[in-house]
Amino acid sequence: MGAELVLLALCTGFGLGFLTLATRSALGAVRLWVRGLRVMGQVMPRKASDLRWGGLVVFSDHLGRGLVFDPGWRGPLCGLPPVGGSVPVVYAQNRPATARLWTLRYLLAPSFGWFLSSTLAFGTGVVVSS
């Protein structure tokens, strides 16, 4: 009985933590959606020595500085066009280094992943408590 209670408490704790992260990520996406500055960026190829997937996005911020944004492994999965294409980029005015792609999939993918993890943790807790 004690081990089941500890496992239930762990599942509930992880579920609440993941749900908090999902909410935080979704609120960050909404904040960017409402107050973010949107610019167009150009997809450039990576160096030949860089073996990661996808390209880099080069854009200019509101002060005219050129910045490079790495969309990471989620870029090609969430709407990054091929090299040479243009893509909309959004960033907070005081933090252009934390830019994101202006696609719904790219902005909401982290919150969906955290919400899915939260559901899995809560579901495991329900199964353990039965």
Side-chain angles (χ1 to χ4, degrees):
M1 182 67 180
E4 289 178 1
L5 188 60
V6 168
L7 192 56
L8 177 62
L10 282 173
C11 289
T12 303
F14 279 121
L16 287 174
F18 292 150
L19 192 59
T20 303
L21 289 172
T23 305
R24 182 177 177 219
S25 181
L27 287 176
V30 167
R31 232 179 280 120
L32 275 177
W33 195 274
V34 172
R35 288 192 246 156
L37 297 174
R38 290 171 281 285
V39 296
M40 289 304 288
Q42 189 75 20
V43 181
M44 304 301 280
R46 293 182 184 270
K47 291 182 181 177
S49 60
D50 193 356
L51 299 177
R52 289 181 285 177
W53 198 36
L56 298 172
V57 178
V58 178
F59 68 98
S60 296
D61 68 354
H62 63 287
L63 298 176
R65 297 177 293 193
L67 295 167
V68 177
F69 163 57
D70 184 7
W73 63 271
R74 290 186 297 145
L77 299 174
C78 294
L80 185 69
V83 173
S86 2
V87 62
V89 176
V90 64
Y91 63 92
Q93 184 172 1
N94 55 352
R95 295 183 306 156
T98 60
R100 300 286 175 250
L101 292 180
W102 178 250
T103 63
L104 193 61
R105 283 188 297 177
Y106 192 84
L107 288 174
L108 294 180
S111 59
F112 178 73
W114 287 122
F115 181 74
L116 195 63
S117 299
S118 169
T119 304
L120 185 65
F122 282 132
T124 303
V126 167
V127 169
V128 165
S129 68
S130 302

